[in-house]
Amino acid sequence: MTTLDTTAVPGAVRSVAAVAEDGNRARLGRMLQHGGWFVAPFLLLYALFVLVPILRGLWLSLTDANITGEGASFVGLDNYREALGDPLMWESLGHSAYFTLLVVPCIVVAAFLLAMLAHHIEHAKWLWRLCFFAPFLLPSAVVGNMWRWMFNPDTGLIDHIFGLESAWLTQKSTAMTAVVIATLWWTVGFSFLLYLAALQNIPPHLYEAAALDGANAWHRMIRITLPMLRNITGLVVALQILASLQVFDQVVVMYEFGPGPEQSTRTLVQYTLEQGFTSYRVGYASAISILFFLIIAIVALGRMWLLRKREEGTR
């Protein structure tokens, strides 16, 4: 009887694996060699318009530079210490956070409901989708001026058609609410489109099986629709938080470049712009911008950490 020499098998397996690994490395090297030319223009533009301004702003934040950029001297962390002790900066950050807390839940709920309506409607689906998404295509200047006219107590549409006392833009208690309403109408279309695409990707057989088991529409939405939309909801919330913290355009246009009644709508971005281009303190404005960047980065990283923990918990 002939015996099989098994001592050579592990070596053969290792040699095959080594050859395969060398082949993969060679293919990866060729891909990087040729693909590098395709990504080089993007990397160049990214470095020119993103990395260089960030590094320039970081350097300016350590100086007392004015708007002309001449005669700037190094001051170290003095701008950061002043910013952390500036009550107006914290007040402006509070306005941005308050706006975010108001607008994000409204956009999430409204976008989900509009997506459900557009998904289940039978006739003229394209028209409904166009109507819900069209405001998102408008420039911020158009939206701000339109809603400023809408809330005008003398000539505005809200007073004349709905009979409401709409002096919201001149009252501190309602000034930010007016901005939230305008922002909701303007930006809900983007989140609506994300929800609609996610709804269309839910397999229909899940609903058919649930209906056969006697589940009504409410149970199907709670047990199937909402769990299947969990990831897209997290994405919508994250995107809206990051966008809302940077609110600027509609606030400035609706209040004609002012901070609103009793400075109730001055956001952190607007306060930074005032420090840089009104008070001419570019170094101090750069320090505020860097701090704001760190806040946004912490929010984004926190969202990624929560998502990772949730994925680990479901395994």
Side-chain angles (χ1 to χ4, degrees):
M1 178 180 296
T2 304
T3 59
L4 179 63
D5 185 9
T6 58
T7 58
V9 174
V13 172
R14 283 194 298 269
S15 62
V16 172
V19 171
E21 185 177 357
D22 292 340
N24 292 333
R25 290 178 179 176
R27 285 193 296 270
L28 180 60
R30 289 193 299 268
M31 183 176 64
L32 292 177
Q33 180 181 2
H34 298 289
W37 292 105
F38 290 98
V39 300
F42 166 77
L43 294 177
L44 179 62
L45 294 175
Y46 183 81
L48 184 62
F49 293 103
V50 178
L51 296 181
V52 172
I54 289 177
L55 295 177
R56 174 65 175 170
L58 182 60
W59 163 249
L60 289 175
S61 69
L62 301 175
T63 68
D64 59 353
N66 55 31
I67 196 171
T68 63
E70 298 179 356
S73 58
F74 183 79
V75 297
L77 300 178
D78 289 350
N79 288 327
Y80 291 95
R81 282 191 286 265
E82 182 182 353
L84 293 175
D86 187 354
L88 291 179
M89 192 210 74
W90 290 108
E91 182 183 23
S92 302
L93 179 60
H95 293 160
S96 299
Y98 178 64
F99 172 83
T100 302
L101 291 176
L102 287 179
V103 76
V104 171
C106 294
I107 286 182
V108 172
V109 174
F112 171 72
L113 295 178
L114 292 177
M116 290 287 290
L117 177 62
H119 182 64
H120 292 96
I121 202 167
E122 295 294 335
H123 304 289
K125 286 188 175 182
W126 67 270
L127 180 60
W128 289 95
R129 297 173 183 178
L130 177 62
C131 292
F132 295 153
F133 183 72
F136 183 71
L137 302 177
L138 296 176
S140 57
V142 174
V143 174
N145 281 293
M146 184 184 71
W147 280 95
R148 186 177 63 186
W149 170 76
M150 292 273 286
F151 284 114
N152 190 302
D154 299 322
T155 60
L157 182 67
I158 294 180
D159 262 8
H160 286 71
I161 300 299
F162 300 103
L164 300 176
E165 294 292 335
S166 60
W168 292 12
L169 298 182
T170 59
Q171 299 177 4
K172 180 180 179 180
S173 59
T174 57
M176 189 61 78
T177 305
V179 180
V180 170
I181 294 174
T183 304
L184 176 63
W185 177 85
W186 177 34
T187 61
V188 72
F190 177 74
S191 300
F192 153 77
L193 203 63
L194 294 178
Y195 270 119
L196 183 61
L199 283 172
Q200 293 174 344
N201 286 330
I202 298 178
H205 65 81
L206 297 178
Y207 295 104
E208 296 172 359
L212 291 176
D213 290 337
N216 55 30
W218 172 257
H219 291 154
R220 292 196 296 270
M221 185 181 72
I222 296 297
R223 301 297 183 181
I224 299 177
T225 305
L226 292 181
M228 295 294 290
L229 296 179
R230 183 180 303 167
N231 290 335
I232 201 66
T233 299
L235 176 63
V236 169
V237 170
L239 292 177
Q240 290 301 326
I241 289 177
L242 297 179
S244 299
L245 285 174
Q246 304 173 64
V247 59
F248 173 74
D249 298 11
Q250 60 271 37
V251 179
V252 171
V253 176
M254 289 179 67
Y255 291 96
E256 301 180 281
F257 299 94
E262 302 181 33
Q263 302 178 349
S264 58
T265 62
R266 175 194 277 161
T267 62
L268 188 57
V269 177
Q270 187 175 1
Y271 181 68
T272 304
L273 195 69
E274 291 175 359
Q275 292 298 314
F277 294 94
T278 303
S279 301
Y280 307 129
R281 301 186 62 193
V282 176
Y284 183 57
S286 300
I288 297 176
S289 299
I290 296 298
L291 291 175
F292 191 38
F293 169 77
L294 293 177
I295 293 173
I296 293 178
I298 290 173
V299 172
L301 293 176
R303 189 263 171 183
M304 294 175 59
W305 180 80
L306 291 175
L307 180 62
R308 186 180 299 111
K309 295 293 288 185
R310 188 178 64 184
E311 291 178 351
E312 293 176 355
T314 56
R315 291 175 183 175

